[in-house]
């Protein structure tokens, strides 16, 4: 066998090994991201958080979270408080081996939120927001034997665009949809970085807060309409006397 053919076979074998390693790392990273989301998420929201799949390229750092769902607290209709088919993710691949992970961007495009009131007047998004504001997030010092918990994260930019909020208040016969303005955050984690739980809180709180404020405006507007209608009916009765 010629030396040139040996080199060609060796190079081909090396490419196969590198390719297999790349594909293994690709799937492995996705599994790690999925586990992190489903572990950290519930400590932020207080409800189940599920992710269908995650993909991250070890070469470009581009990836996506697929099928992200945040459940409503118990006692509501059972619909998810938050659903998003795809979250675009971009990170610095070289930082994955370090304790400070550098995420270039996280983009949420047209997430769907459900703002629902129960019979007692509680609002599911307010309950999630209260938990996110005051709860302890995973990765903030708990022992778990996972070295990933010691990692911190810096996110250059977080964008949530065209979020659609369904406002549901059965007692008021209210079922409306509103679209939120774009939410844009920069420098999450600062120079020292934040724990995954802290970063999740910083991203989730403004989205929930904006959705909650939009829902409250719709509820108030619906009540105002009822009050004006009733007042008009009473005035009409007076004039008829």
């Amino acid at each position: 066998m010629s030396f040139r053919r040996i080199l060609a076979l060796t190079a081909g074998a090396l490419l196969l090994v590198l390719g297999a390693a790349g594909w293994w790392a690709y799937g492995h990273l996705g599994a790690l991201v999925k586990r992190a989301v489903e572990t950290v998420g519930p400590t932020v929201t207080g409800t189940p958080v599920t992710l269908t799949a995650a993909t991250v390229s070890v070469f470009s750092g581009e990836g996506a979270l697929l099928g992200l769902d945040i459940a409503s607290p118990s006692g509501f209709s059972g619909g998810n408080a938050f659903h998003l088919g795809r979250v675009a993710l971009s990170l610095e691949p070289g930082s994955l081996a370090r304790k400070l992970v550098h995420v270039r961007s996280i983009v949420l495009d047209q997430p769907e939120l459900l703002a629902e009131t129960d019979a007692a007047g509680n609002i599911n998004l307010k309950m999630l927001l209260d938990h996110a504001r005051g709860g302890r997030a995973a990765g903030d010092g708990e022992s778990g034997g996972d070295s990933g918990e010691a990692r911190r994260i810096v996110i250059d930019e977080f964008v949530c665009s065209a979020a659609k909020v369904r406002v549901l208040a059965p007692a008021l016969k209210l079922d409306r949809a509103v679209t939120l303005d774009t939410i844009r955050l920069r420098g999450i984690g600062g120079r020292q970085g934040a724990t995954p739980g802290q970063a999740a809180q910083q991203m989730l709180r403004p989205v929930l807060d904006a959705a909650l404020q939009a829902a409250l405006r719709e509820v108030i507007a619906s009540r105002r309409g009822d009050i004006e209608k009733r007042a008009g009916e009473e005035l009409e009765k007076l004039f008829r006397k």
Side-chain angles (χ1 to χ4, degrees):
M1 183 180 292
S2 68
F3 179 70
R4 184 173 297 176
R5 183 171 176 78
I6 292 174
L7 281 178
L9 290 174
T10 303
L14 181 60
L15 286 174
L16 285 174
V17 171
L18 290 175
W23 278 111
W24 176 87
Y26 183 84
H28 188 60
L29 278 176
L32 288 176
V33 171
K34 183 178 186 298
R35 185 177 68 177
V37 169
E38 294 183 337
T39 300
V40 174
T43 69
V44 176
T45 65
T47 63
V49 175
T50 57
L51 183 65
T52 302
T55 61
V56 181
S57 170
V58 295
F59 304 110
S60 67
E62 303 297 319
L65 308 182
L66 307 174
L68 177 62
D69 290 304
I70 300 175
S72 285
S74 59
F76 291 88
S77 65
N80 287 317
F82 182 97
H83 169 76
L84 184 56
R86 185 178 188 276
V87 179
L89 173 70
S90 177
L91 53 82
E92 181 58 47
S95 70
L96 292 173
R98 300 192 293 266
K99 288 189 176 181
L100 184 62
V101 178
H102 178 201
V103 178
R104 294 186 287 246
S105 65
I106 296 177
V107 179
L108 282 60
D109 186 28
Q110 299 184 36
E112 300 172 4
L113 294 94
L114 172 64
E116 181 182 358
T117 61
D118 63 12
N122 298 311
I123 304 176
N124 64 334
L125 294 187
K126 185 177 187 305
M127 296 174 70
L128 293 178
L129 184 59
D130 288 344
H131 196 281
R133 283 172 172 165
R136 185 180 64 175
D140 293 353
E142 302 92 320
S143 60
D146 189 344
S147 59
E149 289 185 351
R151 290 190 177 187
R152 302 182 76 81
I153 186 172
V154 172
I155 304 172
D156 291 342
E157 184 176 50
F158 167 77
V159 179
C160 178
S161 63
K164 301 182 185 303
V165 183
R166 181 189 177 193
V167 184
L168 182 62
L172 301 176
K173 298 181 180 180
L174 176 65
D175 190 347
R176 296 180 185 173
V178 295
T179 300
L180 303 181
D181 293 334
T182 297
I183 297 171
R184 192 182 304 271
L185 306 174
R186 292 187 173 90
I188 294 174
R191 298 181 63 180
Q192 302 299 320
T195 66
Q198 291 168 346
Q201 287 176 336
Q202 291 178 47
M203 290 183 288
L204 186 60
R205 283 185 304 206
V207 176
L208 290 178
D209 186 59
L212 179 59
Q213 294 302 319
L216 290 174
R217 285 194 296 270
E218 291 298 318
V219 170
I220 292 171
S222 69
R223 295 298 297 272
R224 183 185 300 118
D226 290 340
I227 292 172
E228 291 175 350
K229 180 180 179 180
R230 291 173 185 173
E233 291 174 350
E234 291 300 321
L235 285 174
E236 186 176 352
K237 290 178 181 178
L238 289 174
F239 282 114
R240 285 179 178 177
K241 291 181 178 180

